[in-house]
Each structure stands twice: as C-alpha cells, then as structure tokens.
Amino acid sequence: MLKVTELGKVVNTAAGDLEILQEISFQLAKGESLAIVGASGSGKSTLLGILAGLDTASHGDVELAGQSLKSLDEEGRAALRAECVGFVFQSFQLLPGLTALENVMLPLELHGHQDARQRAEKFLQRVGLDHRLEHYPKQLSGGEQQRVAIARAFANEPTILFADEPTGNLDAKTGATIIELLFELNKEQGTTLVLVTHEERLAARCQRRITLEAGRLEHTVAGAEAAPC
C-alpha cells in the first residue's frame, strides 16, 4: 500500500540548504495502522505531507497504492489523492460558510458522486452527528468539528487515511472518543491509517510505529498484530 524509499527533503534558506528529512525508508501493508512520532521539529508533518502527495521530496520516492509519486505532476498527484486518499487535519479545516452536512458533501460532489447527500448523512450519523447536520462549524464544539472532519475523510471511502495530530486540539475525554472512532472506521472499512501524533495512547493503538529524530528514522516498532509488509 505504501512504500518509502530513501526519502529526503531539503529546503533553501538564507543560511544555506536545510535538510528536513534524510534517507527515510519503510513499507506499510494494506489495512495497517502506523504512528509517526518524534519531538517537535523532527520532520513528522513534512513527512506526512510528502506521503500524501501534498508536498514533494527532494530525492527518493514514495509509492502510494502502487503509484510512484515522483513520476506524477501536481495534477496527477491530485487525481491520485482524489481516488484513494483521505486527510484529517489538526485544525479541522472545515469551511465556515457551510453546514456540517455541506462540508462532508462538498468533496463527494467534486468527485462526481451522485449520492453525495446520502453518503454524507450516513457518515455523519456514523460519527454521532445526525442531529447536527444543519449546524455551522462555529456552532459545534472542537470534538464535533473533528468528527465532521473524520466523516468527510472517510465518506469518500479512501484506501489510505493520513491524520496530522487528530487529537491535538481536543481535551482528553474528547480525544479518547476520536481515537476510538478512527480505529472503528479503520477496522470496518479496512482503511490504512498513517497518523502523526504526540499522544502515547494514540500511538499505542497503532500496529506499527516509527520515530523521527532530526529528520532521520531512528526507531521502527511493529506491533504483535501487524501484517507483513
């Protein structure tokens, strides 16, 4: 499902080249869950963006669902994301002028789903928000907004879902609810999960874990239930 080979990212700064990621390699099988952990500034979010095709590597490659990302231009990466990728942001990224239902419907409509409303209602019900369909983001709590974001990400039935600190802006109780929801949907749909997190309780739920230190992959841990790569 996901194969990362000698991945590196270098950015130009006034002080010279800055190496953010160095020689990252790993593989992830379909349906597995992976936590990317490490201190702030270790390159976790940059790595996640490259894996999802939102950013490009300076060298190395990512194969996503059998497709080499470096062989694709931005249009090709966008098409691949539309086909098989979901993304959950720490800051929710809901459109304030749209209701919960409309926020979930929008990407479905953009992808040409004729049953966008039915799908959106189904997943909002699945995350416990069927009574909040017509509410706008400002009328929802942080946990409710994150549930809308999760419904939006899963409604398109992605093959792989990336989440950047999905519980980072939530209190402990709400965060625990979101963690349960992510893994319930992961199990039900067989979606591969790749999560960036500082939370040990979230990382512990994943079958595999990699640790970044100063842009390098320092540790890889496989859980007892992890599928073979």
Side-chain angles (χ1 to χ4, degrees):
M1 169 48 60
L2 185 67
K3 182 178 180 181
V4 182
T5 307
E6 297 183 354
L7 192 71
K9 179 69 174 180
V10 179
V11 296
N12 296 319
T13 71
D17 289 345
L18 175 63
E19 208 166 23
I20 298 176
L21 296 173
Q22 306 174 52
E23 307 301 326
I24 306 293
S25 297
F26 65 89
Q27 296 185 52
L28 191 65
K30 185 180 186 303
E32 278 193 295
S33 54
L34 170 72
I36 301 174
V37 301
S40 296
S42 60
K44 303 186 300 300
S45 293
T46 299
L47 175 59
L48 196 73
I50 294 173
L51 298 181
L54 298 171
D55 193 4
T56 58
S58 300
H59 57 83
D61 194 16
V62 175
E63 289 184 25
L64 180 59
Q67 177 67 62
S68 166
L69 294 187
K70 74 176 182 181
S71 69
L72 300 175
D73 57 15
E74 176 51 38
E75 184 176 342
R77 292 194 301 274
L80 183 63
R81 288 195 301 272
E83 179 183 350
C84 66
V85 171
F87 209 105
V88 176
F89 299 90
Q90 179 179 354
S91 55
F92 318 137
Q93 297 289 334
L94 301 180
L95 295 175
L98 300 182
T99 65
L101 179 61
E102 291 166 342
N103 265 284
V104 179
M105 285 178 60
L106 181 60
L108 294 170
E109 291 174 332
L110 291 175
H111 296 157
H113 291 288
Q114 299 302 310
D115 60 344
R117 184 182 184 91
Q118 291 85 350
R119 280 194 186 214
E121 289 178 346
K122 170 188 171 183
F123 278 90
L124 284 167
Q125 180 179 24
R126 182 63 190 81
V127 301
L129 290 179
D130 47 318
H131 63 300
R132 294 288 214 176
L133 301 182
E134 302 303 325
H135 288 71
Y136 291 89
K138 67 180 181 181
Q139 298 171 308
L140 303 173
S141 69
E144 288 172 332
Q145 290 184 61
Q146 189 62 296
R147 280 190 274 167
V148 174
I150 289 171
R152 180 180 58 188
F154 275 100
N156 204 40
E157 299 182 348
T159 308
I160 185 166
L161 186 139
F162 298 94
D164 192 2
E165 298 284 3
T167 59
N169 285 332
L170 307 175
D171 60 70
K173 182 178 179 180
T174 305
T177 300
I178 294 302
I179 290 170
E180 290 301 320
L181 182 58
L182 280 170
F183 284 94
E184 283 175 15
L185 291 170
N186 160 248
K187 183 177 180 180
E188 289 173 11
Q189 295 189 207
T191 305
T192 305
L193 286 181
V194 181
L195 314 173
V196 161
T197 185
H198 283 98
E199 282 207 54
E200 175 57 33
R201 60 179 174 169
L202 179 52
R205 290 290 299 272
C206 293
Q207 292 170 301
R208 300 183 59 198
R209 177 193 313 213
I210 64 173
T211 301
L212 295 184
E213 293 183 13
R216 290 186 176 275
L217 198 163
E218 294 296 333
H219 305 288
T220 301
V221 178
E225 298 178 359
C229 291

